[in-house]
Amino acid sequence: MVIHISEHGQNIVYRPIRPSDREALEAMHAALFPIRYEPEFFLNVVNGHDIVSWAAVDRSRPDGNDDEIIGFVTVRVMIATENEIGDILGYGSSRTNQTLVYILTLGVAEQYRNLGIASSLVQEVIKYASSLPECKAVYLHVIDYNESAILFYKKMNFRCLRRLPSFYYINSQHFDAYLYVYYVNGGRSPQSALDFVVAVTTYLRGIFTSWATRLWKREQKIPGWSKCKKATSFFNLNRMIKSTNNRGCQHV
Ligand SMILES: CC(C)(COP(=O)(O)OP(=O)(O)OC[C@H]1O[C@@H](n2cnc3c(N)ncnc32)[C@H](O)[C@@H]1OP(=O)(O)O)[C@@H](O)C(=O)NCCC(=O)NCCS
């Protein structure tokens, strides 16, 4: 159990979710999310079947409900190779038992927002994921219009990896989702290799450009016919540099 005294004096405690939390948990999910969750989901959460969870409660509540959930996070450990997200994250083809922690739901009651409660809950998740040696990342989906959640994950240093078109289907309408990820235990973005190639290309382009400029300056001093011939090859060279630049832009 973790205890945090907030700036506003509340004594916020973080503990696992238990069977007695079921009603409050269902009510919070109904109030906070546009998706309806099956009763089975709540049973699994409160009984810890395949789902790990943390609740935040306010021990300093004057109304006596000092064990009532005011915030929660639920997660599931996924085997990277059994999950299509494993491919996106670059772990799908791995033969090892690498895992990923998926944040299923996260929420904080409105009157307790902006006190750092979700930050503490997600820190618990990151700590948990880091404690699993095979775990490479924590990830989640967020609906594209949920700006406060998007700002929250950015603040927590999650990285937006992809926009997934029509990921959600809610009330007969499609919505895009963003896939956010936080790497742990040396997990790395599949784009790291690409970033490396782009960096090397940029470096080589710099050398190439300065070499071409020096060559051009030298050519200014060479007699007429020779200068003309070389000027044609510089033109080609310049075109090559420009096309390299264009390709570079597409990657950035
Ligand atoms: C998203 C949510 C969980 C954040 O909970 P919270 O306890 O208020 O978050 P924190 O206090 O830990 O916020 C940390 C940071 O997130 C960002 N943030 C959170 N809410 C924000 C908002 N409404 N507007 C702008 N930034 C926000 C800020 O950068 C904040 O840091 P700051 O206080 O230094 O500015 C909460 O708004 C919520 O329950 N929303 C409804 C359910 C939901 O959308 N869940 C996420 C589904 S993926």
Side-chain angles (χ1 to χ4, degrees), residues 29 33 37 41 45 72-75 102-107 153:
H29 277 68
F33 301 118
Y37 290 85
F41 169 74
V45 173
F72 59 84
V73 63
T74 64
V75 307
Y102 182 42
I103 297 185
L104 298 162
T105 59
L106 165 74
Y153 289 118

Side-chain angles (χ1 to χ4, degrees), residues 106-108 113-119 146 148 151-153 155:
L106 165 74
V108 172
R113 299 248 174 105
N114 296 309
L115 298 175
I117 292 172
S119 304
N146 192 346
S148 53
L151 286 166
F152 167 75
Y153 289 118
K155 172 86 189 287

Side-chain angles (χ1 to χ4, degrees), residues 230-246:
K230 293 282 181 180
T232 312
S233 63
F234 175 69
F235 174 71
N236 289 336
L237 195 65
N238 196 27
R239 270 218 318 238
M240 272 172 72
I241 292 168
K242 276 193 182 140
S243 73
T244 313
N245 275 335
N246 287 342

Side-chain angles (χ1 to χ4, degrees), residues 174-231:
H174 290 282
F175 295 93
D176 293 356
Y178 291 108
L179 171 65
Y180 272 85
V181 61
Y182 184 100
Y183 292 98
V184 297
N185 297 327
R188 284 181 64 194
S189 162
Q191 286 174 1
S192 303
L194 181 62
D195 291 346
F196 177 72
V197 171
V198 170
V200 170
T201 308
T202 309
Y203 175 72
L204 291 177
R205 196 194 305 151
I207 294 179
F208 195 44
T209 310
S210 84
W211 173 76
T213 311
R214 260 187 276 134
L215 185 70
W216 171 247
K217 281 184 185 153
R218 237 183 39 210
E219 293 313 320
Q220 302 288 343
K221 295 171 196 152
I222 297 176
W225 64 270
S226 169
K227 185 174 157 188
C228 201
K229 195 170 163 222
K230 293 282 181 180

